Amino acid sequence: MPVSLLALALSAFAIGTTEFVIMGLLPEVANDLRVSIPSAGWLISGYALGVAIGAPIMALLTAKLPRKRTLTLLMAIFIIGNILCALAYTYNLLMLARVVTALCHGAFFGIGAVVAASLVAPGKQASAVALMFTGLTLANVLGVPLGTWFGQMFGWRATFWGVAVIGVLAFIGLIVSLPTNRDEKPVHLASEVSALNNGKLWLSLLMTVFFAAAMFALFSYIAPLLLQVTGITDRGVSWTLFLIGAGLTVGNILGGKLADWKVSFSLILSFSLIAVFSLLFSWTSHSLWLAEITLFLWAMATFAMVPALQINVVRHGKDAPNLVSTLNISAFNVGNALGAWVGGAVIGGGYGLTAVPVSAAVLAIIGLLVCLYTFRGSRGQPQPAGAAH
């Protein structure tokens, strides 16, 4: 396993932690900056919008740079953004710092996935992408709970200082370990943009939107579901989130291996399982052990999709891997916002918390239909992941 893959995974861990840790620190941030909890919550939305808008822009701005230089530049922006977060003394400055940090997020994951795939043999590319994204899943398993605890102990700013330090370590790792690809073809902006004229590429991006929507429709409201329906304690919620994180990690690894074998089968199976386990959770949520088992399986099915989605998008836009890969990250964040809105609309409409998993299942079924339409007529052909380069 190339050491450079570990440097990419560490970078993904740092970026994932800074995105999600704010959820655990909202009360501290709101209290310190004298804003309401809903206002502090906009720091999450602001970051997601920064990712969605910034990803393709940064991909185009850095298109002519070698990928190694691009990734180190993006990590430098990430470090500066986190230092600005730690130093921000007003809400508006913190929002600005969050948006600056978000600018590097989508482009880093998009270009990093292309680099990860280029470091290994063609038959191992989805697994390489999965290893990089393991950093993101570990951010949820370890980074967020540890970052929240650290911020509660030493103040929320200390967490951002800590993430900046991890960013510096990742920055050094990228410089030392990433190979300089002398054979890398220069990127032409016209060819990057013209590669977007591909219907299957847009269908693939739509799959990512509905995948993220199905995930976050349920995930955004998992705490109130567990507290009010399952009837567990606050501490029980923390342990359940840890269990979900473990499921995400296992699913990510298995999904990489499955996508190396056949991308279309991996996507169709995962969408189907997400729909089944989401529906099942609307029933099992009333029983502690059944709820825990269902959520672990749901998490496995969910993140098993990530490598296949990334590889699939790059395969359909192989003439512009940097741009389409970052557009996939934008699509994920659009789906994130859509899913959270759908789940909230279901609760606001008076349908009850147990209707939230049903709405997640409906979104997964729509994604499955898009998936089946995209791969119609090609199901009998082998679909290796080897087109990502």
Side-chain angles (χ1 to χ4, degrees), residues 133-219:
F133 277 88
T134 298
L136 186 60
T137 59
L138 286 176
N140 282 294
V141 179
L142 297 174
V144 173
L146 287 176
T148 301
W149 170 81
F150 196 68
Q152 289 167 345
M153 290 286 288
F154 304 105
W156 63 269
R157 297 171 196 277
T159 298
F160 288 103
W161 283 116
V163 174
V165 170
I166 298 171
V168 171
L169 294 174
F171 178 80
I172 295 168
L174 293 171
I175 290 176
V176 171
S177 68
L178 275 187
T180 303
N181 189 353
R182 305 284 180 197
D183 303 324
E184 197 174 298
K185 295 173 186 172
V187 173
H188 301 289
L189 288 179
S191 68
E192 288 269 308
V193 176
S194 65
L196 301 182
N197 187 23
N198 180 337
K200 285 202 171 184
L201 169 63
W202 290 103
L203 285 170
S204 299
L205 290 170
L206 194 59
M207 275 188 240
T208 298
V209 170
F210 281 104
F211 151 71
M215 178 181 177
F216 283 96
L218 176 53
F219 202 25

Side-chain angles (χ1 to χ4, degrees), residues 22 25-35 40 43 94 156:
I22 193 76
L25 295 173
L26 278 188
E28 286 77 14
V29 172
N31 185 51
D32 185 49
L33 298 181
R34 295 187 175 90
V35 296
L43 294 166
L94 181 57
W156 63 269

Side-chain angles (χ1 to χ4, degrees), residues 197-285:
N197 187 23
N198 180 337
K200 285 202 171 184
L201 169 63
W202 290 103
L203 285 170
S204 299
L205 290 170
L206 194 59
M207 275 188 240
T208 298
V209 170
F210 281 104
F211 151 71
M215 178 181 177
F216 283 96
L218 176 53
F219 202 25
S220 298
Y221 303 98
I222 198 70
L225 260 162
L226 290 168
L227 289 167
Q228 296 175 40
V229 179
T230 314
I232 64 177
T233 62
D234 287 341
R235 191 173 178 185
V237 172
S238 299
W239 279 109
T240 305
L241 289 174
F242 179 81
L243 181 74
I244 289 172
L248 295 175
T249 307
V250 173
N252 188 42
I253 295 166
L254 292 177
K257 294 186 184 301
L258 194 59
D260 276 331
W261 175 63
K262 195 168 185 181
V263 171
S264 59
F265 179 80
S266 176
L267 291 170
I268 291 165
L269 178 65
S270 295
F271 266 125
S272 302
L273 290 176
I274 291 168
V276 168
F277 291 130
S278 296
L279 270 178
L280 196 59
F281 185 64
S282 68
W283 173 67
T284 61
S285 58

